[in-house]
Amino acid sequence: MSINNKALATYRLLKATAEVAEKSLEGRIQHYRAHLKTEDKELRTYTQKAAADLLGCNNRTLKRRHDQGDFDAIDIKKGANGHYAYTLSNIFEMAEVLGIKPDHRQPSDKLQVIVINSLKGGCGKTTSLVNIAAALATTNIKRYRIGIIDLDPQGSSSSFFPSSEPDPITVGDLMRDCIELDDGETWESVVSQSFRPTHIPNIRVLPSGMDDFYFEHETATLLKESSGYAQTRHYHKLLEKVIEPIEHEFDLILIDTAPSLNFMFYNALMASTAMLIPVHPEAVDFDANNKYLKRLGEIYHTVAALGHQGWDFMQFVVTNYVKGNHSQRDIVKDVRSAFGRQVMSYPINHSAAITASSSSFNTIFDQKTSDSLASRESLIKSQENIKDVVDELEMLIRANWGSTQSQLDETA
């Protein structure tokens, strides 16, 4: 088949554009590697009062334990003002000294795998995910073991937790099964090490990469050549290749997806125990969300027929809500009227602090109020708002853990 001159010119234009895009992307990647390495990126430090609040004690108790030398083995630095500047790792070690045990799920409790998905771009999906993860990790002393899987090849959520390695193993690498094991190496160890530590001590991230797009092409090719699902298991790749080998290492995993109904998304559905759907309260976005929901049932039927066990919960969370905006208020009323208790009680409010933090690939829990580009008031209000959302999400998660129900029965 011949290609006409106009089509050939278009192809050449796209090739030239691709070269420019590749150079631009490589430049940005080099910038991230030079300035945003994980070992250089640090979580905020805590004052003695903030540390005491997190530990559930008072300043006097903490001071007395310091005076007794109980924390001498912990590498606690002092700030320029001569006062202790505690890292979150310091506080976790202090909790062990104080006899405060981590509140991890029991082996009999189900690993919660929560997919955050919407087909509408700009609804705050990635921003919501990273701030929810940071709040779960930093605003309590439970020390949840949190995993983030970035299923979007554009790597938006990975950018908040940049890898120190120039070429880390990605989720697509694992799902495509293109990793060769060294002598004595196990698949479980490879997958575990692929979840990279971050500047937040109890969050690990499995990043994505642009080459993960090949998973879509390879899967489509495989389907043409195979005779049945038993051979390809193409919707079970994430569950069987990535999550099952390391499920004992986490209490919950959050999955960020691309705004697309692709093979990656079907894999996310098959691996999920719950879904969180961001809803931006604008008429166009709400209508687009409803069109997506009309299709979601048909999409889910496919994975249900292949063995999915059903969700523990599906919730809508209103994002980027502007208080006092009458149009948005009416949309939120419509959302609550339509979906009732499936809508989270608290919306994620529009905040200059979230916008400012996201522009530098930080969550609102990464920085001190003095370091934030937004006002102190905006940052504190935003942190409190996300904490309210997370408290409700945490209740939904723990309601599906038998150990939590047993504890409630014992105290009743």
Side-chain angles (χ1 to χ4, degrees), residues 146-163:
I146 300 167
I148 295 175
I149 298 177
D150 190 353
L151 271 191
D152 185 350
Q154 296 180 86
S156 297
S157 55
S158 300
S159 299
F160 285 81
F161 307 96
S163 174

Side-chain angles (χ1 to χ4, degrees), residues 57-338:
C57 61
N58 56 47
N59 269 341
R60 184 175 298 177
T61 300
L62 217 54
K63 184 178 185 305
R64 186 178 74 250
R65 299 300 289 263
H66 269 294
D67 293 341
Q68 293 172 184
D70 293 345
F71 303 137
D72 286 356
I74 303 173
D75 184 22
I76 303 173
K77 308 292 186 185
K78 289 189 175 182
N81 58 6
H83 297 156
Y84 287 117
Y86 303 92
T87 66
L88 191 61
S89 294
N90 290 157
I91 295 171
F92 287 171
E93 291 181 73
M94 293 162 69
E96 294 291 341
V97 172
L98 295 172
I100 305 170
K101 301 299 182 185
D103 196 4
H104 297 162
R105 69 181 178 93
Q106 297 302 308
S108 58
D109 296 332
K110 184 196 301 184
L111 169 68
Q112 284 294 325
V113 181
I114 304 172
V115 174
I116 290 88
N117 178 261
S118 174
L119 289 188
K120 185 68 178 69
C123 65
K125 175 175 56 68
T126 297
T127 304
S128 299
L129 181 146
V130 296
N131 281 291
I132 284 171
L136 279 166
T138 65
T139 61
N140 59 69
I141 202 61
K142 294 172 182 174
R143 286 155 282 176
Y144 289 128
R145 300 166 300 170
I146 300 167
I148 295 175
I149 298 177
D150 190 353
L151 271 191
D152 185 350
Q154 296 180 86
S156 297
S157 55
S158 300
S159 299
F160 285 81
F161 307 96
S163 174
S164 58
E165 294 187 9
D167 190 22
I169 293 175
T170 68
V171 62
D173 294 333
L174 298 176
M175 292 172 68
R176 292 163 59 206
D177 200 11
C178 57
I179 306 295
E180 292 187 10
L181 300 181
D182 295 330
D183 290 341
E185 193 173 38
T186 65
W187 182 256
E188 288 76 12
S189 67
V190 169
V191 176
S192 178
Q193 292 166 17
S194 299
F195 279 84
R196 308 303 303 171
T198 70
H199 62 290
I200 300 178
N202 46 335
I203 292 180
R204 290 160 61 196
V205 172
L206 178 58
S208 63
M210 295 301 289
D211 285 349
D212 291 355
F213 278 118
Y214 287 121
F215 177 77
E216 304 298 323
H217 171 72
E218 291 176 5
T219 302
T221 302
L222 187 64
L223 290 177
K224 290 180 181 179
E225 298 173 349
S226 65
S227 58
Y229 188 79
Q231 287 181 296
T232 63
R233 304 284 289 175
H234 49 277
Y235 292 153
H236 278 82
K237 296 290 187 182
L238 180 65
L239 178 62
E240 295 175 349
K241 288 286 185 182
V242 179
I243 293 177
E244 288 182 348
I246 47 80
E247 62 181 339
H248 61 284
E249 299 182 16
F250 294 99
D251 298 310
L252 65 145
I253 291 176
L254 301 173
I255 300 180
D256 191 14
T257 58
S260 174
L261 298 179
N262 54 18
F263 289 119
M264 284 280 198
F265 175 63
Y266 276 90
N267 269 269
L269 287 186
M270 184 60 78
S272 65
T273 63
M275 177 170 276
L276 194 61
I277 301 175
V279 180
H280 184 218
E282 295 287 351
V284 173
D285 296 330
F286 184 42
D287 291 345
N289 189 69
N290 285 336
K291 292 174 184 176
Y292 162 58
L293 293 173
K294 285 175 64 177
R295 290 286 312 279
L296 187 58
E298 302 167 13
I299 295 164
Y300 179 75
H301 185 270
T302 300
V303 296
L306 293 172
H308 190 267
Q309 298 299 301
W311 287 325
D312 293 330
F313 59 86
M314 181 183 82
Q315 294 292 120
F316 299 91
V317 57
V318 175
T319 60
N320 206 26
Y321 176 61
V322 180
K323 290 183 177 180
N325 184 308
H326 298 298
S327 174
Q328 288 199 358
R329 183 189 61 192
D330 292 341
I331 293 292
V332 171
K333 284 182 179 179
D334 289 343
V335 173
R336 295 193 184 281
S337 175

Side-chain angles (χ1 to χ4, degrees), residues 23-37:
K23 290 179 182 178
S24 175
L25 180 62
E26 182 61 30
R28 290 180 64 81
I29 290 173
Q30 289 177 358
H31 173 79
Y32 294 150
R33 289 175 186 167
H35 301 288
L36 294 176
K37 290 183 179 180

